[in-house]
Amino acid sequence: DKSITRPNKTDTPLIVPPAPHACCMDSTSLFRNPPLEITGTPAASKLLLPLVRCAGALSHITRRRGMGRFLGAVSTLPYLGEASCKALLAQGASFAFPATDTYWGFFVYSGLVYEYPLHMVFKAICNLDFQVLDCGANFGYWSVLLSSPAYGSKNVIAIEPAIQTFQILRSNSTLNGNRFACVNRAVSDCSGSVLSLVTNMHASARLRIHPQDSDGSRCQEVLSISLDDLVSMLAASPNPLVIKLDIEGHETQAIRTAACLRDRDVLIIYEDNASDVLSTNTQYILALREFVVYWIDDLGRCARITNVSEVNHIKHRRARGVNSFAGHNFLATTRDGKFDCLLRETLGVRPYEN
């Protein structure tokens, strides 16, 4: 049994705003209200779709407060919690997730574009032929999009360490014609090590640095893999490489031993966690002279980051609700490489202003 919504006049493509000298490609467009398909029991198919649509409409009034609690409450109802939702993010890009998932449901049902500034980044580099390592891919949102014709059919490998999350990632690859590869490993400084993964929530799974420590968290063992070994799995190519590195605080370990970052043009998209007062990831990357670091706000303005104090200021502004959905994603590009030049040309890089 299934219930389906069809595109209507409100499901118009959301086009990333053009920037000076931006590519003319208009296919990097998302449905603000993506067509949804709910599958599960007859009760779930009939009741859940109007419920989440109504909650999504109300979330605009409440400034999206309470959406997560609503989905959490619905997940406890008999016959509703095991339903699945398939969203058509863009033409040729289907993304499935548990229908009452509080993380992905929040974005899909409320119409809030996930990591919106990164969509502007990918529009800026859309005409460049690059390969992708999606490290910490979760259910595969970016792997689905970047491997789709709408985003240039890039060669993508999705890496996810948590086994239950990986199973959904792999099903999303199958849903989209197996057009991206999936690897169940934890990205680290070397391959073959047995690591302990804390898996309390799929959106914040992290490696336990000291496996002997116990804090009551759910853990599973997972094998590690290095960035260099992942690159060797891509089709042999001199093309530039995008690495989306969302591995919850283990970024510097992965970067430190990666020779692939030094012998090709690279764009690293990484997080600098709000709880890290030292901004360790950015501090480490800034010390690597071959990279420059940028940050993009909700309006698509690209700022050059030159010191850790600027990163801390961004985190503080976000904590106060300024640019609250821009997140803590930063870009590290090979200095004067193709990515660096395209970002400067299309997004108009400026100094960061406090």
Side-chain angles (χ1 to χ4, degrees):
D1 293 313
K2 64 180 71 173
S3 181
I4 302 175
T5 61
R6 303 293 183 187
N8 55 47
K9 63 182 180 180
T10 63
D11 294 326
T12 53
L14 172 69
I15 307 295
V16 176
H21 310 294
C23 68
C24 59
M25 176 179 170
D26 64 357
S27 56
T28 49
S29 56
L30 302 174
F31 292 118
R32 171 71 76 177
N33 295 296
L36 303 178
E37 179 181 327
I38 302 288
T39 57
T41 65
S45 300
K46 291 178 181 179
L47 297 177
L48 200 49
L49 185 59
L51 275 176
V52 298
R53 282 298 196 196
C54 181
L58 288 173
S59 73
H60 294 278
I61 301 173
T62 64
R63 299 181 67 182
R64 301 181 176 87
R65 292 186 178 93
M67 190 70 177
R69 289 193 298 273
F70 164 77
L71 290 171
V74 171
S75 69
T76 65
L77 298 177
Y79 310 113
L80 294 187
E82 297 181 0
S84 177
C85 177
K86 181 174 71 173
L88 184 65
L89 302 177
Q91 290 299 330
S94 296
F95 178 67
F97 60 95
T100 57
D101 185 82
T102 57
Y103 186 78
W104 288 109
F106 171 83
F107 288 99
V108 173
Y109 303 144
S110 69
L112 182 67
V113 178
Y114 179 68
E115 296 186 326
Y116 181 63
L118 295 189
H119 289 276
M120 288 183 264
V121 172
F122 288 118
K123 181 173 178 62
I125 63 175
C126 62
N127 287 336
L128 192 61
D129 188 10
F130 58 87
Q131 298 175 310
V132 182
L133 295 180
D134 188 5
C135 305
N138 198 265
F139 294 163
Y141 176 91
W142 281 113
S143 295
V144 166
L145 283 175
L146 292 175
S147 64
S148 72
Y151 279 63
S153 300
K154 305 305 182 185
N155 183 12
V156 179
I157 295 179
I159 307 94
E160 173 54 45
I163 185 61
Q164 290 183 318
T165 305
F166 175 78
Q167 289 169 351
I168 298 175
L169 169 67
R170 187 164 54 186
S171 69
N172 271 319
S173 178
T174 302
L175 181 64
N176 289 276
N178 294 305
R179 65 180 181 226
F180 61 88
C182 302
V183 177
N184 181 213
R185 293 289 187 272
V187 178
S188 189
D189 55 351
C190 64
S191 298
S193 297
V194 178
L195 302 177
S196 180
L197 183 73
V198 179
T199 58
N200 290 340
M201 289 185 61
H202 71 78
S204 58
R206 58 181 173 82
L207 292 174
R208 190 192 293 274
I209 304 302
H210 303 291
Q212 69 274 15
D213 296 341
S214 177
D215 58 4
S217 299
R218 291 181 299 180
C219 294
Q220 66 183 61
E221 290 187 341
V222 62
L223 288 176
S224 67
I225 190 168
S226 69
L227 289 174
D228 286 340
D229 283 345
L230 286 169
V231 168
S232 70
M233 297 169 63
L234 291 166
S237 170
N239 290 345
L241 176 66
V242 170
I243 302 176
K244 191 171 189 301
L245 207 55
D246 186 1
I247 51 178
E248 302 296 335
H250 214 62
E251 289 82 358
T252 57
Q253 289 90 330
I255 293 171
R256 185 174 291 116
T257 59
C260 63
L261 304 183
R262 297 186 289 273
D263 58 15
R264 63 194 298 175
D265 195 355
V266 176
L267 168 62
I268 304 172
I269 302 170
Y270 70 95
E271 284 195 353
D272 206 309
N273 199 285
S275 62
D276 181 6
V277 296
L278 298 178
S279 297
T280 305
N281 290 338
T282 302
Q283 188 175 59
Y284 179 79
I285 292 175
L286 285 173
L288 302 175
R289 304 295 296 176
E290 62 266 35
F291 288 103
V292 289
V293 176
Y294 300 112
W295 178 73
I296 299 178
D297 68 11
D298 282 334
L299 299 177
R301 297 174 298 190
C302 185
R304 171 82 179 272
I305 301 298
T306 58
N307 58 71
V308 170
S309 65
E310 294 170 342
V311 177
N312 293 334
H313 188 264
I314 290 169
K315 294 178 182 179
H316 180 65
R317 284 168 59 87
R318 185 171 187 257
R320 291 189 289 115
V322 181
N323 285 316
S324 57
F325 293 108
H328 299 143
N329 281 313
F330 293 85
L331 314 175
T333 69
T334 304
R335 189 183 300 272
D336 295 325
K338 293 180 180 179
F339 289 124
D340 190 19
C341 293
L342 279 172
L343 289 174
R344 285 190 270 121
E345 290 173 4
T346 59
L347 296 180
V349 175
R350 59 187 173 82
Y352 180 74
E353 297 175 358
N354 293 335

